[in-house]
Amino acid sequence: MLPKIRISGLFLFFLAFNAFAAHAAKRDFYQIKIYHLKNDAQEKTVDEYLQKAYLPALHRSGIAKVGVFKPIVSDPATANEKLIYVFIPLKSFHGVLELDKKLAKDQQYSIDGKTYLDATYNDAPYERLESIILQAFEGAPAFMLPKLKSPMKERVYELRSYESPTEKYYQNKVQMFNKGDEIGLFKRLNFNAVFYGEVISGSRMPNLMYLTTFENKADRDEHWKAFSADDYWKKLSAMPEYQHNVSKNDTKFIYPTDYSDI
């Protein structure tokens, strides 16, 4: 009887593991790449690389929609640096790990991106490249395309990062979105969210990030006015169990480039 018990236990373990893996696989993973640039020449080089080489290669690899965004700057002369954000949705963490390997095998990508890929050390296309890895929230397991009609450059996308004082408070804030249905509130008020994600690797942790989208600045302001006045938000934000779970809110206003898919 002993061998049967061992086989049964092993079988149950694999069943449990497969169930866990299947559950995890239902939630997208995201990579946000942030190019830090010093001048117009670097911006032009990265723009051409993304538009003509990187996005087409990602499309060929099966990633149909990729977002490319730039900051909304009122006075470019006062900006310390130029930034380009690239949002890449993937179906698994394995996809994140394998992406560069796929690109390395794509000969067309090597040709189209030669200027960027073969840049010399004293003429680099960027000052620094930052990468953030996220996993989609349980309450929003896949990214969503915004339903907007305005031209790309008129749109206002709002990228928020909520840092928490500890890991426990961070999990509490994530729970506020999922079980507390803050996601449902955003959906009911038509915030056109692209994604909600838990940061699993990045320079600022613990934190979560999400991206909401609007036709223009006035549309954005009206949506947040309605959010602040909403009875459910007043009730949710006043609950004792959801207090002090955000230590810093970092908000970036960005717009999609003409070649962005999102």
Side-chain angles (χ1 to χ4, degrees):
M1 295 297 295
L2 185 58
K4 291 184 178 180
I5 293 174
R6 287 179 176 174
I7 293 172
S8 176
L10 186 62
F11 178 70
L12 290 174
F13 168 78
F14 279 115
L15 281 180
F17 178 81
N18 289 335
F20 171 80
H23 176 72
K26 293 179 181 178
R27 295 165 58 189
D28 281 356
F29 281 81
Y30 309 125
Q31 181 178 25
I32 298 177
K33 300 176 74 172
I34 307 175
Y35 288 88
H36 295 259
L37 316 165
K38 67 178 179 180
N39 53 41
D40 292 342
Q42 285 188 336
E43 183 178 19
K44 180 180 178 182
T45 298
V46 174
D47 265 328
E48 290 183 350
Y49 160 71
L50 293 174
Q51 182 176 10
K52 298 178 181 179
Y54 194 63
L55 264 66
L58 293 187
H59 295 161
R60 287 193 295 272
S61 73
I63 303 172
K65 301 295 181 181
V66 182
V68 182
F69 315 102
K70 295 184 179 182
I72 297 174
V73 182
S74 56
D75 184 5
T78 62
N80 295 325
E81 63 178 350
K82 296 175 179 291
L83 298 170
I84 298 178
Y85 298 80
V86 182
F87 171 75
I88 308 167
L90 299 139
K91 291 301 180 184
S92 68
F93 185 70
H94 181 74
V96 178
L97 299 175
E98 293 296 312
L99 184 56
D100 286 343
K101 293 180 181 179
K102 287 184 178 181
L103 294 177
K105 296 177 181 178
D106 188 332
Q107 294 184 357
Q108 189 61 48
Y109 167 70
S110 299
I111 295 171
D112 296 340
K114 182 175 178 57
T115 300
Y116 172 96
L117 296 171
D118 294 342
T120 59
Y121 75 95
N122 57 354
D123 190 24
Y126 52 80
E127 291 298 285
R128 190 58 51 206
L129 177 57
E130 182 181 351
S131 178
I132 304 170
I133 305 298
L134 310 94
Q135 185 175 20
F137 280 10
E138 289 183 1
F143 84 99
M144 298 149 281
L145 292 175
K147 297 177 181 179
L148 301 175
K149 298 179 181 179
S150 58
M152 291 290 206
K153 289 190 176 180
E154 290 183 14
R155 298 179 185 181
V156 173
Y157 287 15
E158 189 166 353
L159 180 64
R160 289 200 173 203
S161 171
Y162 287 171
E163 298 176 38
S164 298
T166 69
E167 291 95 326
K168 187 173 181 179
Y169 279 107
Y170 159 73
Q171 291 297 336
N172 178 261
K173 183 57 183 176
V174 173
Q175 179 177 310
M176 189 174 177
F177 273 91
N178 288 321
K179 295 182 180 179
D181 202 29
E182 192 171 345
I183 292 174
L185 174 59
F186 277 109
K187 185 175 182 180
R188 174 164 58 81
L189 296 178
N190 298 315
F191 269 69
N192 271 301
V194 174
F195 76 89
Y196 301 89
E198 301 180 36
V199 176
I200 60 176
S201 177
S203 59
R204 296 180 177 181
M205 295 182 71
N207 76 313
L208 62 86
M209 299 177 73
Y210 67 91
L211 179 65
T212 51
T213 65
F214 311 93
E215 301 285 2
N216 48 50
K217 180 62 164 58
D219 184 43
R220 180 264 175 196
D221 292 345
E222 284 298 315
H223 274 80
W224 278 109
K225 183 178 179 181
F227 185 94
S228 299
D230 191 87
D231 288 338
Y232 185 73
W233 170 245
K234 291 179 180 179
K235 177 182 177 182
L236 181 65
S237 60
M239 290 181 178
E241 61 266 37
Y242 293 135
Q243 300 306 303
H244 312 297
N245 55 16
V246 175
S247 57
K248 183 178 180 180
N249 170 7
D250 183 36
T251 300
K252 306 291 186 186
F253 296 107
I254 55 180
Y255 70 92
T257 63
D258 291 339
Y259 59 89
S260 176
D261 299 321
I262 297 174

